[in-house]
Structures are given as structure tokens and as C-alpha cells.
Amino acid sequence: MNRKWIIAIGVALAVVLVGVGTFTYVANKTEAVEGPAVTISPNETDPAVFKLLYPAHYDSYMRNGEMHEPALKYASSEKKKSRLDQFPYMRTLWAGMAFSKEYNEARGHLYTLDDVIGGNGTEATQRINEKTNLTCMYCKSAQVPQLIEEMGDAFYNTKLLADNNTDLFVHPISCSDCHDPQTMELRITRPALVEAMERIGRPVEKATRQEMRSLVCAQCHVEYFFNPNDANRVYFPWDKGFEPEDMYAYYEEIGFSDWTHAQTGGGMLKAQHPEFEMFQGSVHQRAGLSCADCHMPYVTEGSTKISSHWWTSPFRTFEQSCAQCHRESQEEMAQRVLHTQDRVKEALDRAGIANQDAILAIEKAIAAGVDEEILNQARALHREAQFYWDLASAENSFGFHNPQKFLETLADSIDLARQAELLVTRAMNK
């Protein structure tokens, strides 16, 4: 072709491209947006702003608002279900604390604000009152990291329901909780995780990218407490290790209790949602998998390949999540999962009823005037037993994340609870 024609065609193409607008590539090279160049503020928390550059990721994130019947048998539902109605013994186990008033099946990350402080047709939870601090919003809103930075330790002791403080929280869990808004690199925004990993000699700044694909989840999907010895700041009890007995030993060492049981008078521990801790040592964790490998698989949206931000059961994305490693059919895998979850559900109920029996026995022993030393021994056994039950109950996989650890933890719970019951029963019979 004549050189003049080549130059002319090149100039024409350049004019066309300039006329259309700037072609902007995003950080992960999986999406491109035509139009004026867009930048995101380093303090941006609104997920809708991220949509301008990452529309496919945003669309998958918005799927967290969908509610379905369980993918297999357990966990969330499109209907608001009370777990207190499903497991009546929970009311006895949590007597004297807020969870005995209300405890519902979890909903998606888009509902974190609605389900706590209310909104969009949802009533605020009964678990908050005039004593509730902003700390309870620690994992509920993208505004939290900036508020902690601005308020310092005052954040942890400011009352949620005072002075319209609920208005401080605008967006639920969002893009900025896990990504640097300007580079989209994974980051940790919750100081409790940074501090906990530092204390056990595994600083997050040295984490690999694969480790970060779990650590961003571990900012919230963990056991934690509000440390009264440090301005009620959020702490993760990992100083002695991730195992249930390690966390219990830590609580014993610092003498911490979440509340005093209304029927036994014992100091109790309320576990949160220890997915990260229970996952440690599992077959998938030992194989090098991260949370994101199963819960955020790579999917194709149109012509774009993205990491899905629809945080749901891997059985809803079976081909991308499970079939990448497992050769069995979805039906065969479902049977394997349900076998595990059914066994864990049975053990969970046995442990729950054993702890209920221990509570009722201690209550009777108190009324019968049993010696205080024996009562305290029984309270100590029950405290440990119920903590182990609660770790298994509060974890959201119904045992799948680590079946062996779940069943061992629940076996320990049953054993300790029956010991507590037997101790006071013998004392009363004497």
C-alpha cells in the first residue's frame, strides 16, 4: 500500500478515537470503559462510584441483595427466619443477653445496615439499645475506617443511638473495605486484624496476595471482643493460636466475660462468626486455597472475566467454584456436603441441649443451697462448654469449612456440659 495512504488511514483512525473519547483501562485489566477518564477519590466509600470503572464487578456485588432459599439445606433464606425458633434452647443458653431476644438468619452484605439500625422497610434489631456503642458497627459499614481515623478511641465508646449517630453510617460493606480505591489493590482497613496479626508475628504487610484473599475476609468473619482493658477497642483473641481451646485460654488469662448468665450467675463468652479460625487447618486451607477461591470465583460476564463479588454459597457457582478441582458431579458433591452438615447439625443440637441441661442443673443447685465452691466449678465447666458450642453455632458453614474441627469442638462441649451437670447433681443428691 502507498505510504501516503497508510499515514492518511492512521490519522483518520486517531481522529475517530479522539472523537469517541478516552479509552481507560482499569487496574486489573479485566474491564475497560469508553468515555472520559475517571478517577476515584482515596476516601471514596460509595459503591456506585466504583461502578463507573468496574460495572461488571458492581453488578455482581449488587447480587448480594438477592435472597434465595438455601443452596442446599442450611443457612440463609429469602424469608426472615428466627434461629431462636429453629433452636429453642438458644434462649436458655443466652439468658440475660441480647441474643436471647432476637437472632435471625444472616442476610447478604448489602443488608448490614438495614439489619442493625433499620432502613428500607426493615426494623432495627432488638439487640441494640441506649448502651450500644459505635463499636457494634465495626463490620457493618464502609464509613467505619474513616470514623476510627477521625475519632480515635472515642469511636469505641460513643453511643450509637445518641445525637443521630446512626446517620454516620451511609453505605454497607463496600468496595473500599477491601480495595484501595485508586489502585484496587487488596488492603486491610480494620485495625483489629492488623494488630492481631502483628501480635502473633505474622504482619499483614508481609502477606502474599493469596493470603490477602483470605485476610480481607478475616477483617470481619472472625471471633472478636471489645477489650475493656484497652478503651473497649476491638480485639481478636489469637495471641495463643486459632484453635477453640487457644482462644478460650486467652479469655481465661485476661479474665474476660461478655455477660453474666441470668440463671447460673456465671461469666459467659459470646462467640461471633469465626469462619477464618475454623477454616485454619482444614483440607482446603492446607491445599493453599483462600476464601476467595471458593466464594469469589472467576466468572464471565458478557465478554469480561471478573472475580465474582456475589458472596454466596459455592454451590450457586458450582462450575467455577468447585468443578475447577473436583471431578465429581454437582449431585455427588451435594451429597458429600450434606452428609457433613447433617452430622454437624446433629452434634450441634446435642451440645446445645447438653448446655441447656447444665444451666438448669446449676440453677436448681443454687436454689438447693449447694456449696459455692462446687457451683463455681460447675460454672467454669459450663462457660467453656458453651463457648465451644457457640463457636460452632455462630460459624456460617454448618461444619463444611472444617468438619473434623467442628465435630471435635462439639464433642468437647458435650463432655464439659455433662461434667457440669453431673457435678451439681451429685452435690444436690448428697
Side-chain angles (χ1 to χ4, degrees), residues 47 57-66 110 309-310:
H57 290 84
Y58 177 83
D59 288 345
S60 70
Y61 162 79
M62 290 302 292
R63 293 198 69 183
N64 291 295
E66 298 178 7
L110 293 186
H309 283 60
W310 180 30

Side-chain angles (χ1 to χ4, degrees), residues 156-400:
Y156 303 101
N157 293 291
T158 299
K159 301 306 176 187
L160 175 63
L161 299 182
D163 303 321
N164 297 316
N165 284 335
T166 55
D167 294 341
L168 294 171
F169 305 101
V170 181
H171 304 298
I173 300 301
S174 179
C175 316
S176 62
D177 286 299
C178 304
H179 293 282
D180 183 308
Q182 295 191 302
T183 67
M184 295 310 290
E185 289 297 317
L186 293 175
R187 67 174 182 176
I188 304 302
T189 56
R190 299 309 193 272
L193 176 62
V194 176
E195 294 159 2
M197 295 298 284
E198 187 70 36
R199 292 198 304 272
I200 63 175
R202 292 169 55 181
V204 295
E205 60 267 21
K206 293 185 178 181
T208 65
R209 175 170 173 77
Q210 182 67 351
E211 289 171 331
M212 286 294 289
R213 282 160 56 84
S214 286
L215 287 175
V216 291
C217 307
Q219 297 185 94
C220 295
H221 287 267
V222 291
E223 160 63 354
Y224 62 87
F225 71 107
F226 306 155
N227 193 338
N229 300 319
D230 190 6
N232 288 319
R233 297 172 76 244
V234 176
Y235 266 59
F236 299 170
W238 298 346
D239 295 44
K240 296 179 180 295
F242 295 118
E243 297 302 304
E245 57 269 25
D246 296 332
M247 291 186 282
Y248 184 75
Y250 173 82
Y251 282 131
E252 284 291 279
E253 184 175 281
I254 67 172
F256 177 78
S257 294
D258 281 295
W259 93 101
T260 300
H261 197 279
Q263 292 169 250
T264 70
M268 302 299 295
L269 298 167
K270 175 68 192 80
Q272 308 306 323
H273 22 65
E275 282 80 38
F276 181 75
E277 295 95 332
M278 296 301 271
F279 181 63
Q280 302 305 303
S282 67
V283 63
H284 289 99
Q285 193 262 345
R286 294 198 308 271
L289 295 179
S290 70
C291 305
D293 287 313
C294 301
H295 292 282
M296 300 179 66
Y298 287 101
V299 298
T300 300
E301 299 286 345
S303 60
T304 303
K305 181 181 179 181
I306 66 166
S307 175
S308 173
H309 283 60
W310 180 30
W311 303 300
T312 186
S313 166
F315 264 77
R316 299 195 198 281
T317 52
F318 181 84
E319 290 299 322
Q320 297 87 356
S321 295
C322 308
Q324 299 302 308
C325 298
H326 294 277
R327 299 279 73 88
E328 298 93 335
S329 69
Q330 186 166 356
E331 291 72 22
E332 290 174 301
M333 291 295 293
Q335 290 306 309
R336 289 179 59 182
V337 172
L338 285 173
H339 177 79
T340 292
Q341 292 185 324
D342 285 343
R343 300 292 81 72
V344 169
K345 168 62 165 57
E346 180 181 358
L348 189 67
D349 285 339
R350 286 173 180 257
I353 292 169
N355 277 277
Q356 178 178 255
D357 291 344
I359 291 168
L360 297 177
I362 293 171
E363 186 177 36
K364 288 180 180 178
I366 293 171
V370 168
D371 183 75
E372 193 67 19
E373 183 178 346
I374 293 176
L375 289 173
N376 284 336
Q377 291 175 21
R379 289 174 180 132
L381 289 165
H382 167 237
R383 166 185 162 92
E384 185 174 4
Q386 186 160 313
F387 179 62
Y388 294 159
W389 165 85
D390 212 346
L391 284 173
S393 174
E395 209 274 358
N396 284 301
S397 73
F398 258 96
F400 177 75

Side-chain angles (χ1 to χ4, degrees), residues 58-127:
Y58 177 83
D59 288 345
S60 70
Y61 162 79
M62 290 302 292
R63 293 198 69 183
N64 291 295
E66 298 178 7
M67 294 301 298
H68 305 269
E69 287 301 310
L72 291 177
K73 183 176 178 181
Y74 299 102
S76 61
S77 167
E78 63 182 353
K79 299 176 183 177
K80 190 174 182 180
K81 289 184 178 179
S82 168
R83 298 198 81 187
L84 298 177
D85 292 338
Q86 296 176 63
F87 307 95
Y89 54 77
M90 287 179 172
R91 291 188 172 91
T92 303
L93 270 54
W94 293 326
M97 68 100 62
F99 272 79
S100 66
K101 298 179 182 178
E102 181 185 83
Y103 182 37
N104 298 319
E105 289 283 7
R107 297 205 290 173
H109 289 65
L110 293 186
Y111 296 101
T112 53
L113 292 183
D114 296 346
D115 287 349
V116 177
I117 59 178
N120 297 312
T122 303
E123 294 292 327
T125 178
Q126 298 177 48
R127 297 206 303 265

